[in-house]
Amino acid sequence: MRHLVCPVCSGAVYFENFSCIACGTPLAFSSRDMEMKPLVGQHAALACANRTGFVCNWATADSEPLCPSCRLDEVIPNLSYPDNVVRWRRIEIAKRRALVDLLRLGLPIVTRRESPTRGLAFQFLSNMLAAHPVKTGHSDGLVTLDIAEADDSEREARRAQMGEPYRTLVGHFRHEIAHYYWTLLIQDSSDLRACRAVFGDERDDYQAALKRHYAEGAPPAWAQHFISAYASTHPWEDWAETFAHFLHIVATMDTALQFGMIGPRRAPIADPYREADFDALIRAFVPVTEAVNEINRSMGQPDVYPFVLTPEVVGKLHFIHMIVRKAADAHAREKRGGLQAA
Ligand SMILES: [Zn+2]
Ligand SMILES: [Zn+2]
Ligand SMILES: [Zn+2]
């Protein structure tokens, strides 16, 4: 995440802040400019309607009541239950982080308004209130999140039960959004064949693969070939886990660079989200993971980065990098074309 500052007093502010800690100016994050804007004064930004209840701290524009993040919500939690307000707040924070990844990468985000059957949208559901069991997942652009995942104790219980080293809200968003990008960038594209060569054939029976995974677990040598045990389930899950991991890498690298954890000599990278040299990115990333893990161990906390990057996994990440850059370039060309036409 970028090092954000207050536009009034230049004090440090964080992505989640609603106002400047130093001077008290109410602030909103502009996803267009990737910076904090004041909500008062001559150049005041417009706050998202979900600022009420401290759910969202983004700015909105174009006379839309909701910001670009909240506009993607199809179903929000039932707020007549007070605990759901807290859950929703946590969920939206994680979602906004994941959306910033996509915007910084320059990826297209097709909304439901633009494509009612395949656009990206979110629904946040509770098992307590649903007629059918709610499962976190993705279907034709619609991402479902079981809001129980916003409870630390519940999520930790599920993580332990599944034997996972990593389970977070932002991880869920990055994973489900990755499925959306498979349909947007791979499904009907000339890269489908190359994608199958890297991740396997997604026409394998998906339901049978899931059943097998939950009955038998991952194959013994999964760590050689996959970033996580779950990635070994099916080519779609391998894609989603690897794509999500690519987002973890660029997001953490960006923070490490912004906060001066690595200098330009060790990492000659200006912007990890736009870095063309994939090998340079990985070379610079590995020492960062070692450092942050040691920092956490020094505090008696679990590893921030409980993963191992094998050559095969790095190869898969390289493919994702290639697809992302291609999509971002095409999207930039499209936007330029649109501007010229207008
Ligand atoms: Zn300030
Ligand atoms: Zn909002
Ligand atoms: Zn998945």
Side-chain angles (χ1 to χ4, degrees):
M1 181 55 64
R2 272 192 189 158
H3 210 291
L4 298 170
V5 293
C6 168
V8 175
C9 75
S10 302
V13 284
Y14 296 96
F15 184 62
E16 287 80 12
N17 287 164
F18 283 78
S19 59
C20 173
I21 312 149
C23 75
T25 304
L27 301 171
F29 180 81
S30 160
S31 58
R32 192 187 52 206
D33 301 326
M34 290 288 149
E35 59 186 31
M36 285 292 186
K37 304 275 189 192
L39 286 175
V40 289
Q42 207 186 351
H43 302 289
L46 207 62
C48 172
N50 282 343
R51 193 174 175 93
T52 325
F54 294 101
V55 171
C56 176
N57 70 341
W58 276 22
T60 184
D62 315 321
S63 62
E64 292 270 3
L66 293 173
C67 75
S69 166
C70 293
R71 260 176 256 166
L72 298 172
D73 290 349
E74 198 120 292
V75 181
I76 62 163
N78 184 331
L79 302 179
S80 52
Y81 296 82
D83 287 353
N84 280 354
V85 180
V86 180
R87 291 187 183 108
W88 190 30
R89 248 179 235 153
R90 291 179 185 156
I91 287 166
E92 292 293 347
I93 285 173
K95 180 174 133 231
R96 291 197 294 272
R97 287 231 167 218
L99 291 178
V100 161
D101 295 337
L102 311 181
L103 293 170
R104 293 278 307 273
L105 288 167
L107 285 173
I109 301 173
V110 181
T111 64
R112 223 67 181 163
R113 235 186 260 176
E114 292 155 324
S115 171
T117 51
R118 287 176 74 177
L120 182 65
F122 297 90
Q123 55 174 358
F124 306 130
L125 304 177
S126 165
N127 262 312
M128 307 264 281
L129 305 165
H132 305 285
V134 170
K135 274 182 131 177
T136 297
H138 164 269
S139 176
D140 295 324
L142 182 63
V143 170
T144 302
L145 184 85
D146 173 4
I147 62 169
E149 292 284 342
D151 296 333
D152 293 344
S153 56
E154 181 59 34
R155 193 180 57 256
E156 175 58 20
R158 292 180 187 187
R159 187 195 65 75
Q161 191 199 349
M162 308 280 215
E164 297 168 343
Y166 176 90
R167 192 180 181 96
T168 64
L169 280 175
V170 74
H172 281 310
F173 278 111
R174 287 179 179 148
H175 176 104
E176 302 308 336
I177 284 169
H179 284 303
Y180 161 71
Y181 279 111
W182 190 89
T183 57
L184 191 71
L185 305 178
I186 302 293
Q187 185 165 260
D188 302 320
S189 86
S190 56
D191 290 312
L192 179 59
R193 193 194 286 252
C195 187
R196 282 182 183 146
V198 176
F199 294 99
D201 195 329
E202 84 291 346
R203 289 167 297 189
D204 284 356
D205 189 335
Y206 180 71
Q207 292 306 330
L210 276 185
K211 234 168 134 181
R212 189 172 57 240
H213 179 76
Y214 289 120
E216 299 165 20
W222 67 263
Q224 281 298 315
H225 315 289
F226 302 96
I227 189 62
S228 68
Y230 188 64
S232 71
T233 309
H234 185 273
W236 271 333
E237 297 308 336
D238 194 11
W239 160 273
E241 285 287 271
T242 312
F243 191 106
H245 205 84
F246 178 72
L247 299 185
H248 295 338
I249 290 175
V250 286
T252 49
M253 271 300 287
D254 186 57
T255 307
L257 285 162
Q258 286 279 320
F259 284 77
M261 281 178 67
I262 30 171
R265 208 166 51 84
R266 291 264 311 264
I269 293 168
D271 181 352
Y273 285 99
R274 298 298 179 118
E275 179 55 47
D277 186 345
F278 173 79
D279 295 327
L281 191 63
I282 295 297
R283 259 199 318 277
F285 176 65
V286 172
V288 171
T289 66
E290 291 164 353
V292 289
N293 280 350
E294 274 307 323
I295 290 170
N296 264 30
R297 288 170 201 167
S298 307
M299 280 297 289
Q301 295 279 9
D303 286 357
V304 176
Y305 190 77
F307 302 99
V308 179
L309 292 176
T310 64
E312 200 177 326
V313 169
V314 170
K316 291 176 184 179
L317 286 164
H318 199 163
F319 182 80
I320 300 275
H321 178 255
M322 185 271 291
I323 293 289
V324 164
R325 288 203 41 93
K326 202 168 141 179
D329 287 347
H331 186 50
R333 274 198 304 276
E334 218 171 84
K335 277 202 294 195
R336 274 199 303 273
L339 281 180
Q340 274 158 13

